Amino acid sequence: MTAAQRLLTGRAFEDYLETVKLAARTVDRFGAEVDDLDRAEWYRFVTRLMRNGFERFVENCEPERPRLRDAPWRQAINFQSPDQDHLLAEFVDGRHDYVIRGNRGTIPYFVMASWTAPQPTHPGEQDWAPQGVGGLKTFDPATLTTTGFLQSDTIPFDANGDFEVFVGRERPADGRPWLPITDGCVGLLVRTVYHLREETIAPRMTIQRADGAAPRPIAPADMADALAKSGQVVLGYAELVRRWWQDNLGKRPNRIRFSRAVYLSNGGVPDRHHGFGTWECGADEALVLRFTPTPCDYWIFQLCNIWQENLDNYEDGGGHIQKYRATYEPDGSVLIVIASGDAGIGGNRIDPYGHAHGGMSLRLIKTQGEPPPVSLWRVPLERLRAEGRALLDATPPILSGEITD
């Protein structure tokens, strides 16, 4: 059966529904490891992934009409920073050339990246739900590998802040800034980095096919492919967060590890160090972290839930501490207290917002040197209030921040 036939008979849509149902059941593999809040957020997470898939692959994956789409924070996954906006463009493949035009506003820094993912040429020609997670080996829109990279520092801007970037497989002969792509390119990501968002004029960017191809109506085969991608991205991210927690990060709680391989295997870019870990903290406990940031353009420490999403208090300014808002110790270090109430020792407090565990990350952008070691103490909250920092001095910390390949 062709992709068009699968769409017109309803089979492609039914396969999408079965794939999503399979992804939703991933939470059952956690058993008693997750609490009621985790489960409530899980099912919300699945709906967000469904919306993410439709916006990416149904609404914004037309070969003749590319778009740079702002990914809203309510779809913030994989430890996305609240001080970064993500502009996404989806491609069917990397056969075409493109031009990005825009104005930088007053953003201090942005970076463009192109990426590939395991993906068949015409995914809408077959059923994917019966293959389960095994099908992710050949078709996984959530596992992204960066292949091209362009920093704003290397882009010339005119007096008004306007710029132009050529996107293609071959370097342009006219010397324009170039973001390289490969034949297997499935899209682009522009990460804009804010220091103080309220003081910054956001950049504006558009993308067009270089050959000026005219838009066309959607074809049945296009929609079959889009449904297949939309379903697999839900399954892919569901399996990704399960694998990260159960097979990796969850095995070493309250530690942060910097791994270039892990970060770059999930669409990361090589202008930063990004350390990941998991945290556990009871309602009557506090986690205290201390580190001295390596000299860098920007850093952020953030808490996420078990599904790698930003906590719901992010929109109120909670859940994270960053370079330009942090309170520093006299020696230049940063003290962070994760607790449901004030511990009375100063520093920077993060409210876990009802969560007992989750993911955490420390990201340093445009660093000068290696990432810093991190000391962590897990102590009773009442004792910390009573004894103050003397309790930390008397308690051996958990040491982490190591670098792995």
Side-chain angles (χ1 to χ4, degrees), residues 306-359:
I306 191 173
W307 318 124
Q308 302 181 13
E309 295 180 296
N310 298 340
L311 303 184
D312 289 347
N313 59 356
Y314 273 41
E315 62 184 319
D316 306 313
H320 63 284
I321 301 294
Q322 56 109 302
K323 176 178 178 177
Y324 297 96
R325 301 185 190 278
T327 297
Y328 292 83
E329 300 296 300
D331 63 358
S333 65
V334 177
L335 190 76
I336 296 175
V337 182
I338 301 169
S340 58
D342 185 8
I345 64 169
N348 304 270
R349 188 174 78 87
I350 294 180
D351 183 352
Y353 212 60
H355 295 76
H357 55 193

Side-chain angles (χ1 to χ4, degrees), residues 33-286:
E33 192 174 3
V34 295
D35 58 27
D36 289 352
L37 177 57
D38 296 325
R39 287 182 181 273
E41 291 186 330
W42 168 260
Y43 288 110
R44 185 181 64 181
F45 176 55
V46 172
T47 68
R48 289 173 172 176
L49 293 177
M50 294 168 68
R51 186 168 77 250
N52 178 284
F54 286 150
E55 290 187 0
R56 290 178 61 184
F57 304 120
V58 175
E59 304 295 349
N60 292 286
C61 197
E62 303 169 61
E64 294 81 13
R65 198 203 303 264
R67 298 179 184 88
L68 279 168
R69 179 184 64 84
D70 187 8
W73 80 268
R74 282 283 186 172
Q75 294 179 23
I77 50 181
N78 289 138
F79 301 93
Q80 181 176 327
S81 167
D83 287 332
Q84 287 187 183
D85 289 340
H86 286 183
L87 303 176
L88 283 163
E90 310 295 340
F91 299 160
V92 173
D93 53 43
R95 289 179 294 170
H96 305 293
D97 296 334
Y98 304 86
V99 177
I100 296 176
R101 296 182 178 90
N103 182 281
R104 75 176 301 165
T106 59
I107 197 82
Y109 179 66
F110 64 84
V111 60
M112 299 179 173
S114 56
W115 52 26
T116 62
Q119 180 174 294
T121 304
H122 299 293
E125 292 181 343
Q126 60 180 298
D127 291 337
W128 293 98
Q131 301 184 44
V133 295
L136 296 174
K137 294 179 180 179
T138 56
F139 184 21
D140 186 0
T143 297
L144 298 159
T145 300
T146 298
T147 57
F149 176 69
L150 182 66
Q151 294 174 282
S152 60
D153 294 349
T154 66
I155 298 174
F157 299 91
D158 69 15
N160 294 321
D162 296 332
F163 69 94
E164 182 174 303
V165 170
F166 179 79
V167 180
R169 290 167 294 177
E170 302 294 333
R171 184 185 296 273
D174 58 11
R176 281 179 294 173
W178 175 45
L179 176 63
I181 61 175
T182 64
D183 288 344
C185 180
V186 296
L188 311 178
L189 173 64
V190 182
R191 292 175 171 91
T192 59
V193 182
Y194 291 82
H195 292 174
L196 295 170
R197 188 182 289 269
E198 69 276 9
E199 299 179 3
T200 306
I201 299 172
R204 304 187 308 274
M205 301 184 199
T206 61
I207 185 171
Q208 294 178 314
R209 279 266 296 267
D211 60 5
R216 60 172 174 81
I218 191 171
D222 297 333
M223 189 60 194
D225 287 345
L227 285 170
K229 294 176 185 178
S230 299
Q232 285 295 102
V233 80
V234 177
L235 182 62
Y237 277 119
E239 174 60 13
L240 183 149
V241 299
R242 185 211 63 77
R243 187 175 66 247
W244 274 44
W245 184 272
Q246 292 190 322
D247 300 344
N248 186 0
L249 301 181
K251 296 181 180 298
R252 43 185 174 83
N254 295 330
R255 292 169 174 83
I256 289 178
R257 177 177 293 172
F258 291 89
S259 172
R260 300 290 278 179
V262 169
Y263 177 52
L264 294 176
S265 70
N266 287 276
V269 287
D271 67 336
R272 62 197 66 190
H273 291 296
H274 199 163
F276 300 99
T278 61
W279 62 274
E280 295 179 355
C281 182
D284 59 349
E285 294 181 308

